[in-house]
Amino acid sequence: MRIRALVLIFSGLSTLLQAQAPVHDDQPFRVDVRVVQVDAQVLDKKTHHVRPSLKQEDFLLFEDNVPQKITNFSQDKLPLSVVLLFDLTDSVRPVLKSLAEGALEALQHLKPEDRVTVMVYAAAAQVIQPATTDRALAVAAIEKASRMESDEAAYFNEGIFQATEELSHSDSSTRRVIIWLTDDVPNIPSETELPARYRRSLKGALPHTQKQALEDLLRTGTVVCSLVKQSEESYDGEQRLMNKRAETMLHPPGEVNKYASATGGQVIEFKKKELKDKLAALIDDLRMRYSLAYHPSEPKPKGKYCNIKVKLAPETQRSLGKVVVEARQGYYR
């Protein structure tokens, strides 16, 4: 009798559970767990010095003009995944030699867990040292890059695209950054008229466009910071302007500012002897950026571009005075 009673009890429980089961068994339950991470930096508008010690409540974050709730906030906690991307044009290679001499000192400004990749580019990019936490390996790669030569033109859109692809394999919990050393002169006629001799590294293919590189940067959440080599020549103002105009006629103007602006990075000019110190200071600034994360409040179709805007709360803005907030302009769902 006891066995029969137990059977009846379990049978009743089974029927009750079946009755409570969802009617639409063919529609699985889904929860949108998307988290969007945004790096932000607050700089003094005049000096461009970092304004530290801000808190979560000092920031306002918007997606497509809709306020978002900041769910995670930190500073200098998430590790960095950095690509050092070097231009191999004749004007930049001598600077690499001076950088190699002080590279170890500059890279000591990174945390032990930060990973560094070293790449060079002309018509295409090449990885000299895959991602590593070993600073000696990174320095050796910089020294190797300083000895490399190329007769190909430097095509920076392709270099940025390939560096971004390299970073796309890094841990998604890290903050992805390209530190790009260039003279900001892409010396080729155009994206669609690339001379055949410049296609050797690309195996005959056309290079990626600026539009494609920007889309890849925004999809991966990569920040681009540029160290731009200043001319060492001493021209007067009028002669410098004439040379710049002539240069622009021969070559399309550089877009380092566009890459930096879209991703929330910085553009820093330097002269040869300043490079080591400029790199160290840039690393310090990168480590002290604020990381803001949020869950988008509204569903959007896959692949849709969403605008991001980071602002300071009105009372914070008033207390800090004239400052600028650098953050990426958007992302793709």
Side-chain angles (χ1 to χ4, degrees):
M1 290 295 291
R2 288 182 180 178
I3 295 175
R4 184 178 178 185
L6 287 172
V7 170
L8 288 173
I9 290 171
F10 281 116
S11 177
L13 285 172
S14 176
T15 303
L16 179 61
L17 290 173
Q18 289 178 9
Q20 293 179 344
V23 176
H24 304 290
D25 292 334
D26 58 335
Q27 297 181 5
F29 180 68
R30 293 187 177 91
V31 177
D32 185 3
V33 293
R34 171 183 291 277
V35 176
V36 180
Q37 182 175 305
V38 183
D39 266 17
Q41 186 68 287
V42 181
L43 303 174
D44 184 280
K45 195 169 185 178
K46 185 177 181 180
T47 65
H48 281 208
H49 292 161
V50 175
R51 302 301 295 265
S53 305
L54 298 180
K55 301 177 182 179
Q56 179 173 327
E57 54 267 28
D58 293 318
F59 291 91
L60 301 175
L61 199 153
F62 302 83
E63 181 180 300
D64 291 338
N65 295 321
V66 178
Q68 304 294 316
K69 180 181 179 181
I70 300 173
T71 55
N72 290 288
F73 180 86
S74 64
Q75 185 184 30
D76 196 24
K77 288 187 178 180
L78 298 178
L80 293 170
S81 291
V82 178
V83 166
L84 297 176
L85 180 65
F86 300 130
D87 187 329
L88 283 182
T89 53
D90 291 340
S91 62
V92 176
R93 276 189 289 106
V95 178
L96 284 178
K97 293 180 181 179
S98 66
L99 175 61
E101 296 171 0
L104 183 59
E105 182 181 342
L107 294 182
Q108 294 301 331
H109 287 246
L110 293 166
K111 284 186 171 182
E113 62 268 28
D114 295 336
R115 302 177 70 83
V116 176
T117 301
V118 179
M119 297 179 68
V120 296
Y121 74 99
Q126 177 184 351
V127 176
I128 305 300
Q129 172 60 54
T132 180
T133 56
D134 189 326
R135 305 295 175 243
L137 289 178
V139 171
I142 295 172
E143 292 174 343
K144 180 179 179 179
S146 72
R147 298 190 298 271
M148 296 177 68
E149 296 183 6
S150 175
D151 63 350
E152 298 180 335
Y155 200 77
F156 59 75
N157 295 328
E158 184 65 26
I160 290 292
F161 183 91
Q162 292 190 32
T164 309
E165 285 294 290
E166 190 69 22
L167 279 173
S168 69
H169 304 301
S170 63
D171 189 336
S172 60
S173 66
T174 63
R175 296 160 51 209
R176 297 166 175 167
V177 182
I178 296 172
I179 297 179
W180 176 22
L181 178 63
T182 178
D183 61 358
D184 197 21
V185 181
N187 38 339
I188 62 166
S190 74
E191 293 172 337
T192 57
E193 298 176 3
L194 191 65
R197 72 187 184 92
Y198 292 152
R199 298 189 191 178
R200 289 182 304 215
S201 299
L202 296 170
K203 299 179 181 179
L206 284 174
H208 291 87
T209 65
Q210 179 178 272
K211 182 176 182 293
Q212 290 172 319
L214 279 170
E215 287 180 355
D216 213 28
L217 286 166
L218 295 174
R219 282 194 176 92
T220 57
T222 301
V223 175
V224 176
C225 292
S226 298
L227 292 166
V228 179
K229 180 182 178 296
Q230 290 180 329
S231 172
E232 302 288 340
E233 299 172 330
S234 56
Y235 297 120
D236 59 37
E238 184 177 353
Q239 182 65 49
R240 189 182 299 277
L241 180 60
M242 290 174 62
N243 288 347
K244 185 64 177 177
R245 287 175 177 170
E247 179 184 90
T248 302
M249 291 175 64
L250 290 170
H251 310 298
E255 294 285 355
V256 291
N257 287 288
K258 188 164 186 177
Y259 280 117
S261 176
T263 62
Q266 295 176 260
V267 176
I268 300 171
E269 294 187 347
F270 71 91
K271 292 185 178 180
K272 185 176 180 180
K273 294 180 180 180
E274 302 173 330
L275 180 54
K276 179 195 72 173
D277 293 335
K278 293 281 187 178
L279 175 59
L282 175 58
I283 290 172
D284 287 341
D285 286 354
L286 285 169
R287 287 184 47 221
M288 297 306 294
R289 292 171 74 93
Y290 300 95
S291 295
L292 293 71
Y294 70 98
H295 298 272
S297 60
E298 297 181 1
K300 301 282 177 65
K302 184 178 180 181
K304 177 176 173 53
Y305 177 76
C306 301
N307 289 289
I308 291 176
K309 183 68 175 178
V310 180
K311 297 181 180 181
L312 293 178
E315 57 275 18
T316 304
Q317 182 72 59
R318 284 193 295 270
S319 66
L320 292 180
K322 294 182 178 181
V323 295
V324 292
V325 180
E326 294 180 337
R328 60 170 165 154
Q329 295 177 352
Y331 75 103
Y332 288 88
R333 285 287 180 96

